[in-house]
């Protein structure tokens, strides 16, 4: 029997860091669905598709064949056979992904891949609609969030560490815009599933959040 843990939440809440560590503790596979949306966004950018051209996004996404594999426990995303993992975490790709992921065709395109992975493996899957749409019967659902200010500060420090030019006010503005889009789109908007446990990480460090989620998992599984 496989076990599925869904972790949803807004941009910058630390989902990927936390989900990865929880997966490692439990020897589950970590599935980063945001990276799949980013790979489609990268494809659209490469093809010169404009953000406001929803028809073209719906058409062109079907030329983006996405698959994943694992190397040293790290998820690698392939776009039409090419490993594009190093190119996915830029602001440009993230902004395009936030727009193109609202397109119903794009969501439909990735739904089966995500469900198949969770059907065949014990996974910790993170995203925006995992607990609500992709895996409504997940064994454990977490809604991981933090204040906008906390998320902006974390993103700022992450970019600074990488030596990337960044401005904290710009990042905060970007996060607010992304929240607005992710939470108010027509298809699969970001929201907490009724049976998800809310974890606010604003005042918690990474090991504390991991410990809390593992406790929630133990409690659910012992019932
Ligand atoms: O988590 P992330 O920043 O890598 O996600 C990039 C974008 O993809 C984000 O703006 C929302 C979207 N996304 C989504 O709509 N559904 C998911 N399951 C994961 C990400």
């Amino acid at each position: 029997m496989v076990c599925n843990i869904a972790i949803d939440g807004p941009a910058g809440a630390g989902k990927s860091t936390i989900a990865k560590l929880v997966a490692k503790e439990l020897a589950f596979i970590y599935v980063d669905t945001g990276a799949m949306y980013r790979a489609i966004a990268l494809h659209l950018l490469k093809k010169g598709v404009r953000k406001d051209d929803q028809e073209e996004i719906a058409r062109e996404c079907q030329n983006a064949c996405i698959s994943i594999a694992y190397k040293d426990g790290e998820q690698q995303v392939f776009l039409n056979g090419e490993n594009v993992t190093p190119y996915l975490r830029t602001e440009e790709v993230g902004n395009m992904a936030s727009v193109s992921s609202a397109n119903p065709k794009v969501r439909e395109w990735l739904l089966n891949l995500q469900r198949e992975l969770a059907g065949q493996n014990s996974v910790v899957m993170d995203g925006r609609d995992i607990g609500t749409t992709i895996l409504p019967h997940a064994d454990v659902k977490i809604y991981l969030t933090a204040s906008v200010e906390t998320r902006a500060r974390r993103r700022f420090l992450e970019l600074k560490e990488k030596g990337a030019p960044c401005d904290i006010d710009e990042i905060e503005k970007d996060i607010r815009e992304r929240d607005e889009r992710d939470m108010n789109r027509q298809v699969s908007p970001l929201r907490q599933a009724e049976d998800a446990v809310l974890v606010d990480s604003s005042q918690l460090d990474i090991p504390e959040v991991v410990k809390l989620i593992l406790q929630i998992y133990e409690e659910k599984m012992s019932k």
Side-chain angles (χ1 to χ4, degrees):
M1 270 291 276
V2 298
C3 176
N4 292 164
I5 301 180
I7 303 186
D8 291 301
K15 294 188 298 298
S16 55
T17 307
I18 301 295
K20 218 182 272 183
L21 290 167
V22 170
K24 198 168 174 204
E25 280 293 322
L26 298 172
F28 286 10
I29 284 177
Y30 163 55
V31 182
D32 173 1
T33 61
M36 298 175 186
Y37 285 98
R38 285 171 182 265
I40 291 205
L42 179 66
H43 175 77
L44 297 170
L45 288 168
K46 276 185 178 174
K47 294 287 172 186
V49 177
R50 288 200 335 265
K51 270 190 194 161
D52 57 1
D53 192 344
Q54 288 297 332
E55 257 177 47
E56 189 57 13
I57 290 175
R59 204 191 57 75
E60 189 53 50
C61 77
Q62 296 174 71
N63 294 323
C65 179
I66 309 294
S67 59
I68 67 167
Y70 289 85
K71 190 176 159 210
D72 303 327
E74 292 284 325
Q75 176 181 293
Q76 308 292 313
V77 183
F78 291 80
L79 166 63
N80 295 330
E82 183 196 352
N83 186 347
V84 292
T85 314
Y87 316 115
L88 301 179
R89 298 222 57 93
T90 66
E91 293 303 286
E92 190 194 14
V93 172
N95 282 329
M96 182 58 158
S98 170
V99 174
S100 53
S101 63
N103 189 296
K105 268 274 177 264
V106 171
R107 304 204 73 80
E108 200 186 306
W109 193 239
L110 291 175
L111 183 124
N112 285 343
L113 171 62
Q114 294 169 2
R115 285 200 179 144
E116 264 171 35
L117 285 164
Q120 292 164 4
N121 308 278
S122 286
V123 296
V124 180
M125 185 176 283
D126 84 15
R128 303 295 192 285
D129 63 339
I130 310 305
T132 51
T133 306
I134 305 294
L135 307 176
H137 304 299
D139 302 275
V140 181
K141 296 182 189 178
I142 305 289
Y143 189 82
L144 182 63
T145 190
S147 68
V148 172
E149 294 74 17
T150 305
R151 290 186 280 136
R153 198 174 55 248
R154 287 180 186 159
R155 184 81 188 116
F156 173 76
L157 293 174
E158 191 186 323
L159 287 170
K160 208 170 126 193
E161 200 173 304
K162 281 188 197 157
C166 53
D167 175 278
I168 189 137
D169 295 331
E170 272 298 310
I171 293 174
E172 194 173 315
K173 184 168 153 270
D174 210 63
I175 284 184
R176 284 185 198 281
E177 282 173 10
R178 227 179 265 194
D179 282 0
E180 172 72 22
R181 274 198 298 266
D182 292 349
M183 291 174 182
N184 295 303
R185 66 184 175 214
Q186 294 269 309
V187 190
S188 289
L190 167 66
R191 61 176 177 80
Q192 184 180 342
E194 269 173 27
D195 50 350
V197 180
L198 176 69
V199 174
D200 186 330
S201 73
S202 304
Q203 307 294 328
L204 301 174
D205 64 17
I206 293 168
E208 286 171 327
V209 179
V210 172
K211 195 170 157 206
L212 184 57
I213 293 178
L214 289 171
Q215 274 169 4
I216 295 167
Y217 163 81
E218 297 291 346
E219 267 171 38
K220 287 258 173 190
M221 299 316 281
S222 67
K223 276 186 189 154

